[in-house]
Amino acid sequence: MKKQSLAMIVIALLCILVLSFGNSFKSESEPVHTEIATTNEYIVVGFSQLGAESDWRSANTESMKSTFTVENGYKLILEDGQQKQANQITAIRTFIQQEVDYIVLAPVTETGWDTVLQEAKDAGIPVIIVDRMVDVSDEDLFTCWVGSDFELEGKKAAEWLNRYAKAKGIASEELHIVNIQGTIGSSAQIGRTKGLAETARTYGWDLMAEVAGDFTQAKGKEVMESLLRRYDNINVVYCENDNAACGAIEAIEAAGKRVGSDIDKGEIMVISFDGVKKEAMNYVLEDKISFIAECNPLHGPRVKAIIELLKDGQIPEKFSYVDEQIFSANKTVKEIIVDGMAYTVTLPEIVEE
Ligand code: GYE
């Protein structure tokens, strides 16, 4: 009897041993288990990009893609909102269902985010806003924001124009300006429009029209064509990004007019933003675009640094602004001062692709 029960215990122990070995072999060889194990090793980032309207946007998407790679320990889920807020809201809801670790949002316009951001907050997922801002009732609805000071960019462009006109002896009321705006309601549009409008008011410039150009080349061209039909005295075109500027230049040249800084000799001056599109940078070197206020799209590493802080349990700055330069090939103005800060005019650096 004693011998029998001892044998049974030994057999039982052997069974347990074999089973547990079997299991550990299984978890190494079965693909399902391996996948679950490896997914947990990555930080999953859901990025709702607003669209693909410009060269700036493409560079921004690329920066995120090349930063949040598997080699860097990330799994990036990228959703293109195609310029529609509704698509971006759907993307965020999907990220919540997928239980991503972080949500990154580049919002198309500022308002209308409260509900979906509350949903992300309730799910305990940090939301990092990038590029444009959100205008929400409670800033605790997002973790932090990183991007550019768009109003400052606008003020830089307007102040450069002021200095240029003064140096050339062009009277304020002789500046007949049209503004080809970006996507209406986006931070980049709101800030750049404000920067120009306020400076125009201060100096008494003739700001004749503000028309939406959607940050695209096609719309920039179309809007410029109609502005040229409406006004025969335009001498400054303020374009809220490089793509719209390139479109406007097409329209101006097609109408048989010349672009350039010599507005006292009948040229139409083009002012722009970004400094990303190669064609626009070359136009600066040719003085077809007189001035560009830089807007830096390379936010990938900045967002990664924020995620690393959060991972370590640290609190990132709520708002981080990127330092930016000003570009012109015209030698009339060498430096401008805006909000007490000096900015030196430089030539854009053209990086070969
Ligand atoms: O200037 C424009 C883009 O929000 C800063 O959006 C961004 C703007 C950028 O389409 O080219």
Side-chain angles (χ1 to χ4, degrees):
M1 233 7 216
K2 253 191 173 180
K3 261 191 184 170
Q4 252 182 350
S5 55
L6 195 71
M8 274 177 72
I9 290 169
V10 171
I11 289 168
L13 276 173
L14 272 173
C15 280
I16 292 168
L17 250 155
V18 167
L19 272 175
S20 60
F21 263 122
N23 267 344
S24 64
F25 285 138
K26 232 188 191 174
S27 64
E28 261 177 38
S29 57
E30 270 195 9
V32 187
H33 290 284
T34 316
E35 222 171 72
I36 292 166
T38 24
T39 307
N40 286 339
E41 286 163 24
Y42 294 124
I43 297 172
V44 182
V45 174
F47 175 40
S48 168
Q49 176 59 289
L50 65 91
E53 73 285 359
S54 66
D55 289 63
W56 189 100
R57 189 64 50 202
S58 307
N60 179 247
T61 302
E62 211 30 63
S63 171
M64 300 293 279
K65 277 165 76 174
S66 59
T67 303
F68 294 107
T69 58
V70 168
E71 298 80 63
N72 286 345
Y74 290 90
K75 186 168 185 277
L76 180 69
I77 310 172
L78 174 67
E79 289 292 339
D80 178 349
Q82 307 196 332
Q83 305 295 321
K84 290 194 179 67
Q85 185 176 43
N87 291 343
Q88 293 201 276
I89 290 174
T90 305
I92 294 171
R93 292 199 167 125
T94 310
F95 296 153
I96 296 171
Q97 277 168 17
Q98 290 168 318
E99 296 180 7
V100 301
D101 298 308
Y102 298 91
I103 291 173
V104 180
L105 167 65
V108 62
T109 46
E110 289 192 346
T111 55
W113 300 101
D114 289 70
T115 308
V116 77
L117 291 184
Q118 184 65 56
E119 290 168 24
K121 195 173 181 216
D122 292 345
I125 304 172
V127 177
I128 299 157
I129 313 286
V130 72
D131 167 23
R132 303 174 185 176
M133 286 214 190
V134 290
D135 179 0
V136 282
S137 56
D138 177 1
E139 281 178 356
D140 281 347
L141 286 176
F142 60 93
T143 305
C144 60
W145 168 89
V146 61
S148 308
D149 186 334
F150 304 114
E151 192 180 334
L152 175 62
E153 291 173 353
K155 283 184 184 170
K156 286 177 188 166
E159 182 53 22
W160 180 87
L161 177 60
N162 171 48
R163 293 283 312 280
Y164 179 85
K166 294 236 161 82
K168 290 278 180 183
I170 301 163
S172 296
E173 59 278 11
E174 280 173 41
L175 290 177
H176 305 291
I177 309 166
V178 292
N179 179 5
I180 303 183
Q181 299 168 291
T183 303
I184 302 300
S186 70
S187 308
Q189 176 272 314
I190 295 169
R192 290 168 189 168
T193 296
K194 193 169 173 215
L196 174 67
E198 284 186 354
T199 313
R201 214 170 306 130
T202 307
Y203 296 121
W205 296 341
D206 177 23
L207 176 56
M208 299 191 291
E210 296 174 325
V211 191
D214 299 350
F215 288 130
T216 68
Q217 186 146 352
K219 194 72 190 287
K221 182 172 180 227
E222 188 189 307
V223 164
M224 192 66 222
E225 282 164 356
S226 78
L227 285 167
L228 286 168
R229 279 195 296 270
R230 222 161 93 204
Y231 304 97
D232 61 5
N233 58 344
I234 300 168
N235 53 15
V236 179
V237 186
Y238 179 96
C239 301
E240 290 187 1
N241 82 340
D242 285 343
N243 292 73
C246 290
I249 291 170
E250 273 183 69
I252 294 166
E253 291 183 335
K257 297 179 192 287
R258 273 182 305 126
V259 285
S261 300
D262 291 332
I263 52 180
D264 46 343
K265 296 191 187 106
E267 290 185 341
I268 297 181
M269 171 185 283
V270 176
I271 290 174
S272 179
F273 295 86
D274 286 354
V276 176
K277 190 173 170 60
K278 210 170 143 206
E279 188 186 357
M281 307 285 258
N282 278 316
Y283 281 161
V284 171
L285 300 181
E286 294 167 33
D287 192 43
K288 281 188 169 194
I289 293 181
S290 299
F291 179 92
I292 292 182
E294 185 203 9
C295 183
N296 190 305
L298 308 178
H299 293 319
R302 297 180 185 120
V303 175
K304 183 167 166 269
I306 289 171
I307 289 179
E308 274 158 15
L309 277 182
L310 292 169
K311 225 175 58 190
D312 286 354
Q314 297 183 53
I315 301 167
E317 290 279 327
K318 189 82 189 185
F319 297 94
S320 308
Y321 290 90
V322 174
D323 283 337
E324 290 167 335
Q325 309 184 55
I326 52 172
F327 305 125
S328 179
N330 193 289
K331 301 273 189 306
T332 311
V333 180
K334 295 195 168 51
E335 189 188 84
I336 55 167
I337 295 172
V338 181
D339 294 342
M341 283 281 293
Y343 299 90
T344 307
V345 176
T346 60
L347 282 179
E349 223 180 275
I350 299 171
V351 183
E352 287 306 322
E353 279 135 24

